[in-house]
Amino acid sequence: NPGYYNLTQQLSILQIQGDIQVSSGGGDISSGMGDAPTIMNKIMAGSMLTILPLLILYLFTQRYFVEGVERAGIAGD
């Protein structure tokens, strides 16, 4: 059911639709002039929305990641 797809699945479907529109441009050059960049803009915006929560989470927890890496690198006696 397409209503239950998450954002990554929707982006994949959007990419496939964009590829189909670009490859089946038809006989007239001007028929699909603005389609591909518009679809790419939507894909880029969706990708940013997918990455943004993880980026924000990392910014707030960065020091814990660094401390964990430093502790793992300390050699014992």
Side-chain angles (χ1 to χ4, degrees):
N1 185 2
Y4 294 115
Y5 290 164
N6 60 23
L7 186 58
T8 349
Q9 291 170 328
Q10 291 286 352
L11 286 174
S12 176
I13 291 169
L14 190 62
Q15 166 114 31
I16 292 169
Q17 289 174 351
D19 290 344
I20 290 171
Q21 284 182 1
V22 169
S23 65
S24 65
D28 187 16
I29 295 175
S30 64
S31 65
M33 285 288 287
D35 292 342
T38 304
I39 290 173
M40 284 307 296
N41 290 343
K42 289 179 183 177
I43 291 172
M44 294 293 180
S47 299
M48 188 64 190
L49 287 175
T50 304
I51 295 170
L52 194 63
L54 293 174
L55 218 74
I56 292 171
L57 179 69
Y58 177 74
L59 289 176
F60 285 115
T61 59
Q62 178 181 6
R63 74 175 144 197
Y64 301 113
F65 283 115
V66 172
E67 288 175 5
V69 169
E70 286 177 356
R71 287 186 188 154
I74 297 174
D77 289 327

